Amino acid sequence: MRFNRQLESIKTYEGGKPIELVMREYGIPPEDIVKLASNENPFGTSEKVVETIRNYAPDVYMYPDDSMLELKTALAKKFGIETANLIIGAGSDQVISFAINAKANKHKKVLTARTTFAMYDIYAKQIGAKVIKTPSHQHNLDEFYHLYKKDGDVGIIFLCLPNNPLGESLDKKDVFEFISKIDDNTMVVVDGAYQDFAAAKDPAKKIDPKELIETFPNTLYLGTFSKSYGLGGMRVGYGIATEEIMNALYKMRPPFNVTSLSLKAATAAMEDEAFVQKGIENNFREMQKYEAFAKENKIDFIDSYTNFITLLFKKEKNASEIAQLLLKKGIIIRDLQSYGLNGIRVTIGRPEQNERFFTEIAPLL
Ligand SMILES: *Cc1c(COP(=O)(O)O)cnc(C)c1O
């Protein structure tokens, strides 16, 4: 069978390997498996969320409230915006696809960093839009500006701040200066999936969605409940922008795109910010151990503003081999070979998970 031509250039997205797969393939009992591959919250999810899901389980026969007003009201309050400035997606992933569908096409390109969240590229290619990428792996705003100017046909720019899978971020003032040079008809997306981590580590990196969209009406801010809030399995994310942008994005939204339990879970998660803070504090405390380990073992690492750290190996060591050997020992991390990098991305876990990682990787170095 022949399929649409644009599918030929798409690499199927590979998520972090699930625990079940490692159990099956290597016969390792689940309690011995350490998953540090998908940037999930290592403390799980808040008890309040679990209780809420239990309470609302009997209601699943009903369609969700498609206005999603309860969650939107909580988000609007948190960010000091109006509910009309919000759209909720099945993960912020879905909002990325809405934005690309609204702003890119065969003639209007997508501009991203060379090594960034894979879904920008995949959604763009699905609709036959070209993706142009900066020469540098990490975000370099001069390169972004140069390509934007030179090409002249960019519909949407993605800034992943902080960047997945590398971990770097940019100062707000530099980001604002960059956006001020972009024309009103080009959408600039700030993907803030890890913004709460960045803001905790360095306030200069913090990008406030309200300030962003009020200063620049051509911007879209993205947030997710999958990382610090511990709700990856519920698939909830959101976009924040002007009503004009919202009107366009809503045209792309399938009906009932977020489940009723997901909406309840996200609302409950917002009522337990202490749980989120605990995760962020553990993250940066434990990250220091990774940095010390990397220095001791002469491994390069990227200064990270997220809940993961990217380790880059010297030529003599093969990251894919290391990832494979770790997997056999029940340690799941992310190999970055598909990005053209000889490195791995490791989610910062609980102290005992991180110790297991150091113990298992040491003999492979
Ligand atoms: C995890 C992630 C998302 C969104 O995840 P969802 O689970 O779809 O909300 C978006 N952008 C980046 C950079 C991410 O790492």
Side-chain angles (χ1 to χ4, degrees):
M1 187 180 283
R2 275 189 293 277
F3 295 98
N4 291 338
R5 280 277 300 281
Q6 67 262 29
L7 267 59
E8 288 164 19
S9 63
I10 298 178
K11 268 196 251 162
T12 306
Y13 181 81
E14 268 191 63
K17 288 203 168 39
I19 288 176
E20 290 77 8
L21 184 139
V22 179
M23 282 166 57
R24 258 185 280 124
E25 276 190 17
Y26 301 101
I28 301 171
E31 61 273 18
D32 291 345
I33 298 175
V34 174
K35 187 184 180 208
L36 301 174
S38 300
N39 307 337
E40 294 147 338
N41 188 322
F43 296 99
T45 197
S46 156
E47 260 313 307
K48 292 204 172 113
V49 168
V50 178
E51 203 179 305
T52 301
I53 294 173
R54 270 201 204 102
N55 287 343
Y56 284 96
D59 290 351
V60 294
Y61 71 98
M62 283 188 283
Y63 276 103
D65 166 13
D66 206 32
S67 76
M68 308 185 196
L69 210 58
E70 192 184 27
L71 177 57
K72 279 187 194 164
T73 304
L75 284 165
K77 186 162 167 247
K78 176 181 163 107
F79 293 115
I81 53 170
E82 302 295 323
T83 54
N85 299 121
L86 276 159
I87 189 164
I88 315 287
S92 60
D93 241 294
Q94 194 177 35
V95 186
I96 295 169
S97 82
F98 297 161
I100 288 177
N101 273 276
K103 283 301 294 178
N105 58 43
K106 269 205 185 67
H107 313 288
K108 281 289 180 188
K109 291 168 199 152
V110 176
L111 172 57
T112 75
R114 174 161 161 199
T115 297
T116 189
F117 194 49
M119 294 314 297
Y120 311 145
D121 190 83
I122 293 176
Y123 289 130
K125 287 175 176 163
Q126 284 175 357
I127 59 165
K130 277 220 178 68
V131 183
I132 46 178
K133 298 182 184 179
T134 60
S136 299
H137 284 285
Q138 298 184 33
H139 283 65
N140 176 318
L141 291 174
D142 293 334
E143 291 178 7
F144 267 90
Y145 187 67
H146 177 76
L147 285 176
Y148 157 78
K149 269 293 181 204
K150 190 177 108 184
D151 192 88
D153 268 328
V154 172
I156 182 166
I157 300 173
F158 280 92
L159 301 177
C160 189
L161 302 171
N163 187 22
N164 178 12
L166 299 182
E168 90 278 7
S169 206
L170 297 173
D171 283 2
K172 180 198 107 176
K173 84 171 169 16
D174 298 330
V175 175
F176 275 42
E177 193 201 311
F178 168 77
I179 302 174
S180 73
K181 297 185 292 187
I182 304 299
D183 72 283
D184 300 344
N185 197 32
T186 302
M187 184 186 284
V188 181
V189 179
V190 173
D191 186 339
Y194 304 93
Q195 264 289 321
D196 41 6
F197 292 99
K201 178 167 174 173
D202 178 2
K205 304 277 187 284
K206 180 183 163 126
I207 294 173
D208 175 62
K210 177 184 162 79
E211 189 189 357
L212 178 73
I213 68 165
E214 283 180 354
T215 315
F216 306 111
N218 59 330
T219 56
L220 168 66
Y221 179 93
L222 300 177
T224 179
F225 285 93
S226 299
K227 311 287 161 53
S228 58
Y229 284 85
L231 284 181
M234 295 308 277
R235 316 300 308 120
V236 195
Y238 52 90
I240 298 176
T242 60
E243 283 188 56
E244 186 196 15
I245 291 179
M246 282 303 143
N247 285 336
L249 299 187
Y250 270 93
K251 294 181 184 180
M252 306 301 164
R253 188 183 72 94
F256 309 111
N257 60 319
V258 183
T259 74
S260 50
L261 287 183
S262 302
L263 292 167
K264 287 291 181 194
T267 309
M270 289 187 70
E271 287 161 11
D272 194 358
E273 289 288 343
F275 173 82
V276 177
Q277 284 315 312
K278 178 185 148 199
I280 293 174
E281 279 158 29
N282 170 78
N283 184 65
F284 288 115
R285 210 181 313 119
E286 290 296 305
M287 188 159 332
Q288 291 177 358
K289 297 185 188 167
Y290 279 84
E291 292 172 355
F293 181 86
K295 281 177 193 153
E296 264 168 44
N297 290 281
K298 310 238 176 338
I299 302 166
D300 289 329
F301 65 90
I302 298 172
D303 189 24
S304 170
Y305 293 86
T306 64
N307 63 348
F308 58 82
I309 190 162
T310 294
L311 306 176
L312 299 166
F313 299 108
K314 306 241 161 31
K315 275 199 296 294
E316 309 82 71
K317 293 280 165 218
N318 182 315
S320 298
E321 258 172 51
I322 292 175
Q324 199 55 39
L325 290 168
L326 283 172
L327 198 57
K328 285 191 183 145
K329 296 179 173 188
I331 312 289
I332 320 174
I333 47 89
R334 198 67 192 256
D335 173 18
L336 297 178
Q337 186 191 41
S338 63
Y339 294 94
L341 289 168
N342 186 32
I344 58 174
R345 187 194 72 188
V346 188
T347 304
I348 310 298
R350 299 189 303 274
E352 70 275 16
Q353 295 178 305
N354 301 327
E355 284 310 321
R356 251 305 282 296
F357 171 80
F358 299 137
T359 308
E360 301 289 9
I361 197 175
L364 310 177
L365 298 172

